[in-house]
Amino acid sequence: MAERIGSSASSGRSESQSAALYAKAHQWIPDGVSRATLLRRPNPIYVDHGNGAWVTDVDGNRYLDCNNNFTSIIVGHANPAVTQAVSAQMARGTAFAMASNVEIELASLLCERVESFELIRFCNSGTEAVMGALKAARAFTGRPNVIKVEGAYHGTYDHAEASLASSPANWGDAAAPVTVPYSFGTPHSVTEEVSVIHFNDAEGARAAIRSQGDRLAAVLLDVMPSQVGLPAIEHDFIDAVRETTREVGALLVLDEVISLRLGYGGAQTLLGIDPDLTAVAKIIGGGFPVGGVAGREGPMSTFARAGSARAKVPSGGTFTANPVTMAAGHAAMNLLDRDAFARLDELGEAVRTGLRSAIDAAGVDWQVTGRGSLFKVHPHTRHIRNYRDAHLSSDEAVELERFEHAIQSAGVYLSGGGFGSLSLATTDDDVAFLLEAAAVAFEG
């Protein structure tokens, strides 16, 4: 079993190199980091290197990585096949104002795996993918409005951020959730163009979609949203959204930026969903920045020029489909065969089962949700169907932060909110290490 981390990470002492780097970073970077998701008390951890399922920080402390760069790493850090593909491409050049064959190879691999992927267009992030998908939906339907799930995270586009962090103070009545802008300065028009529904509320979804009618371009849906608590999606909710979007002539846009890692053909194949467009990212880049919009030929045609006319949705970017990312993504996705996903399922189930046993042994009122290689712990036992069920009270938030600090001190690095993901590099011994650390953290 792997050795535990050293004392400097658990003590958070100011003389640690991570603390010193954080203090230095404030001279040039607002808040000291360029990603708010890295912030944790007393300071972010600065990494030195990663290998397989483990990362080592600048102070020499090792952590079992159950964050995996927010689910984007799925074959492990410094995977030899990915490293070889990237090194070979870098020797030939990193980016050109010309197309490359490896873009076609990755596109064909993805379209062959997922039935709804008739065409795909690459970009540089999940945020761009969601934004592109919504723009395509608007262009294809000629309509302005969007419906999304309360609490669901879809990147940093204003319309996709709506009601991401709403609270009892502003989220409105359960029967009529209020659209709440996320970032200060968001245009007021967002509240007119975005409506929110509750996850797993079939009748609420039908009513909202029908009320928008011929103004609705798309419903944006993540089938297992992490910010909503990784709840299981109910089939009558899926059916309600799919049937009613077709009824009013709107599109169903799936956000599979994270959930593509749930199976060989993504969550949509597992759940039997037939979307019009899908936003993808993270695992398809093999550890490099990537995004993509995939879907049916009709809405995807909005990205194509019609003769000499420009496309309805022009898209590009200096590093879009750069050959290094495409090579890394192709190498990683080739490793993810059906046996690989079966192994990820096995690992995830072992972790979720073990965490439930640790909760029982500690006698605490906690629970675990998730599927495939994803898991999330919650400091309460409320049945979670939607964001409001998962939303933490102030006392619960304090308890979860205590747990996260304790498990990090024991050598396990999670995402925020008790959320974790696993990679193929995870071993059975690593799972045992994780569960031992969790048991200590639960007992607190």
Side-chain angles (χ1 to χ4, degrees), residues 233-252:
I233 194 167
E234 297 170 6
H235 284 283
D236 62 344
F237 177 64
I238 298 171
D239 293 343
V241 172
R242 179 65 284 187
E243 291 167 5
T244 318
T245 49
R246 285 179 172 146
E247 177 185 310
V248 303
L251 302 188
L252 172 55

Side-chain angles (χ1 to χ4, degrees), residues 5 9 18-19 21-22 33 38-40 43-48 55-59 61 63 408 412-413:
I5 62 171
S18 281
L21 288 171
Y22 185 48
V33 291
L38 303 186
L39 291 172
R40 50 189 68 199
N43 52 259
I45 294 172
Y46 282 75
V47 69
D48 181 78
V55 292
T56 302
D57 71 12
V58 292
D59 291 293
N61 302 313
Y63 302 86
Q408 179 178 300
V412 176
Y413 192 76

Side-chain angles (χ1 to χ4, degrees), residues 137-327:
R138 290 180 174 131
F140 184 70
T141 62
R143 301 170 176 182
N145 289 6
V146 173
I147 290 175
K148 64 157 293 192
V149 166
E150 183 179 62
Y153 176 71
H154 300 283
T156 58
Y157 179 42
D158 284 338
H159 290 71
E161 282 185 324
S163 293
L164 168 61
S166 55
S167 69
N170 59 21
W171 64 25
D173 188 81
V178 174
T179 301
V180 182
Y182 182 65
S183 299
F184 286 94
T186 299
H188 294 299
S189 60
V190 167
T191 61
E192 300 167 1
E193 294 166 351
V194 181
S195 299
V196 294
I197 59 176
H198 297 298
F199 196 69
N200 282 329
D201 181 3
E203 291 311 308
R206 288 186 191 276
I209 293 167
R210 285 171 177 156
S211 70
Q212 292 287 321
D214 62 7
R215 289 185 57 76
L216 182 64
V219 173
L220 175 62
L221 178 64
D222 180 343
V223 300
M224 186 171 274
S226 61
Q227 300 285 83
V228 181
L230 292 188
I233 194 167
E234 297 170 6
H235 284 283
D236 62 344
F237 177 64
I238 298 171
D239 293 343
V241 172
R242 179 65 284 187
E243 291 167 5
T244 318
T245 49
R246 285 179 172 146
E247 177 185 310
V248 303
L251 302 188
L252 172 55
V253 176
L254 282 194
D255 179 346
E256 289 234 52
V257 169
I258 291 177
S259 64
L260 197 72
R261 67 160 33 235
L262 293 181
Y264 186 78
Q268 62 189 267
T269 301
L270 294 174
L271 296 168
I273 306 174
D274 181 24
D276 301 292
L277 292 170
T278 302
V280 292
K282 295 193 184 288
I283 67 167
I284 70 165
F288 285 78
V290 73
V293 183
R296 301 298 180 189
E297 183 175 0
M300 288 299 296
S301 68
T302 59
F303 293 109
R305 288 186 301 173
S308 60
R310 67 178 177 88
K312 290 182 178 180
V313 183
S315 69
T318 302
F319 292 99
T320 292
N322 72 82
V324 175
T325 291
M326 297 293 98

Side-chain angles (χ1 to χ4, degrees), residues 45-130:
I45 294 172
Y46 282 75
V47 69
D48 181 78
H49 65 275
N51 184 265
W54 291 77
V55 292
T56 302
D57 71 12
V58 292
D59 291 293
N61 302 313
R62 296 181 71 236
Y63 302 86
L64 177 63
D65 191 2
C66 294
N67 178 302
N68 283 299
N69 194 31
F70 301 94
T71 78
S72 65
I73 304 296
I74 194 169
V75 295
H77 297 288
N79 177 273
V82 175
T83 300
Q84 182 179 4
V86 169
S87 298
Q89 180 56 55
M90 289 181 68
R92 297 193 295 270
T94 61
F96 310 96
M98 302 171 186
S100 67
N101 179 56
V102 70
E103 175 189 3
I104 302 171
E105 293 177 345
L106 182 55
S108 63
L109 182 154
L110 293 169
C111 289
E112 287 165 4
R113 287 196 179 193
V114 187
E115 184 178 352
S116 74
F117 290 13
E118 294 178 355
L119 296 167
I120 188 168
R121 184 94 171 195
F122 292 109
C123 53
N124 288 305
S125 69
T127 290
E128 285 187 35
V130 168

